[in-house]
Amino acid sequence: MSKKKVLVTGGAGFIGGNFVQYMVSKYPDYDIYNLDLLTYAGDLTKHRDNETMENYHFIKADIANRDTIIPLFEKVKFDYVVHFAAESHVDRSITDPGVFVQTNVLGTQVLLDASKHVGVTKFVHVSTDEVYGELDFDPTTFFTEETPLQPNSPYSASKAASDLLVRAYHETYNLPINITRCSNNYGPYHFPEKLIPLTISRVLNDEKVPVYGDGKNIRDWLHVIDHCSAIDLVLHEGLNGEVYNVGGHNERTNLEVVKTIISTLGKSEDLIEFVKDRLGHDKRYAIDPAKLEQLGWKPTYTFETGIAQTIQWYLDNKEWWEQIISGDYQNYFENQYKLNR
Ligand code: NAD
Ligand code: TYD
């Protein structure tokens, strides 16, 4: 039997990068193709070890470029596509929405066309709980797969648009698909523009941590490895055409998250700086993962074990994040900070 060929888009980013590493080691009999444009969020140093693995391949390409994507699919004939590549940061989508439509909507459509053209066996679209909009603070309410899509940010609107295209390619052309909608991830190789790695890196450097508004907004945190195992399960066992929510019931206010990191690192809460609120800031996200649990998924980390592991990783891998936060990122952060003050 020939080896399965798995295309992972966005495999130089945070979650895609962890997923590539997970797949390369778990499935030596698969060929894993990491396709990434290497935008500001893409970084290949995380795959130094993979480069020596025979089943790992890297392709630099733009998912929205039909002229390279269609011939690539014709040449390699992928069996599976797991689609992570996206513009992923809400704050950036507020200042520059155009590239979110280009990559997240048009890029997804090009991949769907290519997948239909060569007849892939499964297309897994990695989406987000943010497509459902926001919940209020009633702790008994959760997003289910039936919750209507009501995205509030340009980021979540572009992800919702891509979800609807994926659904439409299934309904219209019978493309075998699944959509996963996960809550906020954290863990190794998280880009330091997002709350948890931003807080860890700034606290370690004794720099102020900007908390938007009153810090009472709630996110439902999942360790990235638990997200990877969920996608692996959906790829192999997901029922054709189905949506699966992914989350581990780890709701925390932003202030709780920041304070946990500060106390774990033995620093002072004086580092917290309350700044202007984000425009259209969603109040609360919380996932009901019952459907995925019925498929056999169980997370391995609690928030306590996961955040401890993650903080230790940032302590052990200072070189990685110091290289990321130098240069262009520093300009981005200073501008963002100015906007928020
Ligand atoms: P990320 O920003 O860390 O990585 C995105 C990757 O996509 C980068 O490597 C980047 O270079 C690549 N990319 C961007 N534009 C591209 C293009 N046009 N062509 C090819 N590659 C391109 O993002 P992430 O946090 O790892 O998120 C990955 C996916 O998971 C996204 O689709 C996101 O919507 C979804 N998601 C993220 C979270 C989260 O908490 N981060 C939660 C749920 C779902
Ligand atoms: P983020 O990590 O950007 O993820 P998302 O917006 O996709 O949920 O933000 C997580 C939460 O933290 C969100 O409520 C906004 C808040 N936040 C801050 O308070 N300060 C910051 O500097 C950042 C980046 C986020």
Side-chain angles (χ1 to χ4, degrees):
M1 214 175 74
S2 69
K3 283 171 109 184
K4 290 254 185 281
K5 294 174 183 167
V6 186
L7 177 68
V8 180
T9 71
F14 164 46
I15 310 173
N18 277 282
F19 186 73
V20 163
Q21 293 183 353
Y22 172 104
M23 294 294 282
V24 165
S25 57
K26 181 164 178 188
Y27 297 104
D29 52 334
Y30 286 8
D31 269 318
I32 309 297
Y33 294 80
N34 169 14
L35 182 149
D36 200 293
L37 183 58
L38 301 180
T39 68
Y40 80 92
D43 148 67
L44 284 180
T45 62
K46 56 173 73 87
H47 293 311
R48 269 191 205 128
D49 291 347
N50 286 335
E51 275 157 21
T52 58
M53 307 286 277
E54 271 180 23
N55 64 336
Y56 172 77
H57 314 271
F58 176 69
I59 302 157
K60 183 170 183 210
D62 180 352
I63 55 166
N65 186 338
R66 184 171 292 272
D67 294 341
T68 46
I69 295 298
I70 302 279
L72 173 72
F73 273 65
E74 284 172 344
K75 185 169 157 216
V76 184
K77 297 208 166 47
F78 301 110
D79 297 283
Y80 300 145
V81 176
V82 185
H83 175 34
F84 294 89
E87 288 294 331
S88 68
H89 190 33
V90 173
D91 289 327
R92 289 184 191 252
S93 83
I94 294 169
T95 46
D96 184 14
V99 66
F100 284 72
V101 175
Q102 171 72 17
T103 295
N104 301 0
V105 186
L106 291 178
T108 300
Q109 193 230 334
V110 169
L111 290 172
L112 288 166
D113 275 345
S115 301
K116 165 175 157 275
H117 180 57
V118 303
V120 303
T121 317
K122 177 66 75 73
F123 185 104
V124 177
H125 179 58
V126 181
S127 191
T128 164
D129 60 355
E130 302 190 27
V131 297
Y132 296 123
E134 65 176 358
L135 295 164
D136 64 23
F137 293 111
D138 171 0
T140 63
T141 56
F142 298 97
F143 293 136
T144 73
E145 289 78 4
E146 275 69 50
T147 303
L149 304 192
Q150 288 185 315
N152 292 318
S153 71
Y155 161 66
S156 53
S158 67
K159 290 296 292 187
S162 64
D163 285 22
L164 293 179
L165 278 170
V166 174
R167 184 192 129 81
Y169 273 64
H170 174 67
E171 295 296 323
T172 307
Y173 307 113
N174 215 11
L175 187 72
I177 64 104
N178 286 119
I179 297 172
T180 59
R181 296 190 179 130
C182 191
S183 59
N184 286 61
N185 282 211
Y186 66 98
Y189 295 113
H190 203 180
F191 195 91
E193 66 185 350
K194 309 279 171 60
L195 180 69
I196 287 183
L198 180 145
T199 302
I200 300 173
S201 57
R202 291 188 68 81
V203 168
L204 281 173
N205 284 339
D206 293 308
E207 291 167 325
K208 292 275 189 190
V209 178
V211 172
Y212 299 165
D214 59 10
K216 291 189 177 145
N217 301 59
I218 291 174
R219 296 294 181 264
D220 184 359
W221 295 97
L222 189 74
H223 192 280
V224 64
I225 289 304
D226 288 327
H227 190 186
C228 292
S229 69
I231 294 168
D232 176 15
L233 180 68
V234 169
L235 174 66
H236 293 99
E237 307 287 340
L239 296 180
N240 188 9
E242 292 295 312
V243 176
Y244 294 93
N245 284 350
V246 190
H249 288 298
N250 292 300
E251 289 180 56
R252 295 289 183 283
T253 67
N254 293 338
L255 207 48
E256 283 169 337
V257 169
V258 170
K259 285 184 176 177
T260 299
I261 294 168
I262 288 176
S263 80
T264 307
L265 290 172
K267 299 285 177 106
S268 160
E269 288 185 7
D270 292 346
L271 289 175
I272 295 172
E273 181 178 2
F274 290 95
V275 298
K276 255 199 263 169
D277 209 355
R278 175 187 273 173
L279 295 177
H281 196 173
D282 285 336
K283 285 202 257 311
R284 172 174 167 255
Y285 305 142
I287 284 279
D288 174 358
K291 184 173 171 184
L292 187 66
E293 285 169 351
Q294 275 159 25
L295 201 64
W297 177 78
K298 240 190 9 234
T300 56
Y301 285 96
T302 61
F303 186 70
E304 284 66 32
T305 56
I307 197 72
Q309 183 265 4
T310 302
I311 292 171
Q312 191 57 49
W313 188 89
Y314 278 80
L315 283 166
D316 295 341
N317 291 275
K318 207 163 182 242
E319 216 176 278
W320 179 80
W321 57 264
E322 275 184 338
Q323 159 242 319
I324 300 275
I325 62 175
S326 60
D328 285 354
Y329 172 77
Q330 200 54 38
N331 298 333
Y332 161 79
F333 183 80
E334 294 304 331
N335 286 334
Q336 187 65 33
Y337 218 160
K338 268 188 227 141
L339 283 178
N340 286 332
R341 271 157 180 257

